[in-house]
Amino acid sequence: MKTQESEFFIDKMILKYQSLSKKEKSIINLCLGVLLVLFIIGKIYNGGEVIGEFLYNISH
């Protein structure tokens, strides 16, 4: 029963997205892209910080 409800919800979201104009779709895609890029930059920064701290601890 739950899977049917979630599939129905996803189908509703897909239909709403498909009914948007090109301008609205591009705005949504741009916002999602920016959020994804910021998330990836944050993960790379955290990884670099960990590696830098590790290298500092090894050398001292």
Side-chain angles (χ1 to χ4, degrees):
M1 202 68 166
K2 291 284 183 186
T3 57
Q4 290 178 347
E5 289 177 11
S6 65
E7 288 175 1
F8 180 69
F9 176 74
I10 291 171
D11 289 339
K12 277 177 60 173
M13 294 303 295
I14 290 172
L15 288 174
K16 283 183 183 180
Y17 179 79
Q18 288 176 343
S19 67
L20 295 174
S21 68
K22 279 190 172 187
K23 184 178 180 181
E24 291 170 328
K25 285 181 184 178
S26 64
I27 290 171
I28 290 173
N29 290 338
L30 180 65
C31 290
L32 290 175
V34 166
L35 288 174
L36 182 63
V37 166
L38 290 175
F39 178 76
I40 290 172
I41 289 172
K43 290 295 180 184
I44 290 172
Y45 177 79
N46 288 340
E49 191 175 6
V50 168
I51 292 171
E53 184 179 347
F54 173 75
L55 292 175
Y56 177 81
N57 289 336
I58 285 177
S59 66
H60 284 77

